Amino acid sequence: MRMMLRGVFLTSTSPGETAEFYSRVAGLPLEQVGTPGSYVYWRVDRNGIQLAIHEAAAFAAYAHPPLAGSNLTHLYFNIDDREGFLARLKELSIEPFALDDVVVTVEDPDGRKVMFGTA
């Protein structure tokens, strides 16, 4: 039996806003999928792995309400230029949540701590 990671699904009370955040900050080309007025979500597929952002209430009963302060989900993006990334955040008027020599952590619109690091 073959098993592989297929995706990471995030839930949000404002999935469009969260998708815009990941598009602007992480440069992810998220596309809206579905039929407006019905079920809509945002996704990007890279190398067979999908990141998707779903409306929490519509996704599953156990996903609503989202727990903003949860530390159960950590997303980590690899960056090659820490100073360039910090400049990008400044242009977007986003203050880092935490900094160290390797990782810049920001908070997404749902309160998730998202790490961008050079390691």
Side-chain angles (χ1 to χ4, degrees):
M1 176 174 72
R2 186 179 81 112
M3 195 176 307
M4 63 180 271
L5 177 65
R6 172 60 183 116
V8 175
F9 294 175
L10 304 179
T11 57
S12 172
T13 55
S14 301
E17 181 181 342
T18 300
E20 175 65 21
F21 171 86
Y22 285 97
S23 179
R24 288 184 349 200
V25 175
L28 295 175
L30 288 149
E31 65 174 322
Q32 184 176 328
V33 178
T35 305
S38 181
Y39 194 85
V40 174
Y41 69 100
W42 287 258
R43 75 170 179 213
V44 60
D45 270 289
R46 287 208 174 145
N47 301 320
I49 298 176
Q50 182 182 101
L51 172 68
I53 302 168
H54 295 264
E55 166 65 47
F59 184 71
Y62 61 80
H64 190 265
L67 303 175
S70 173
N71 62 354
L72 299 177
T73 302
H74 285 77
L75 295 177
Y76 184 90
F77 292 87
N78 182 255
I79 55 175
D80 60 1
D81 179 3
R82 183 179 178 278
E83 295 309 312
F85 183 72
L86 286 169
R88 179 185 193 143
L89 291 180
K90 187 172 184 173
E91 289 173 12
L92 296 170
S93 300
I94 296 173
E95 287 292 322
F97 178 81
L99 292 168
D100 64 29
D101 293 340
V102 176
V103 177
V104 177
T105 303
V106 298
E107 192 171 65
D108 80 5
D110 298 299
R112 273 182 288 271
K113 308 311 182 264
V114 183
M115 300 174 287
F116 294 83
T118 56

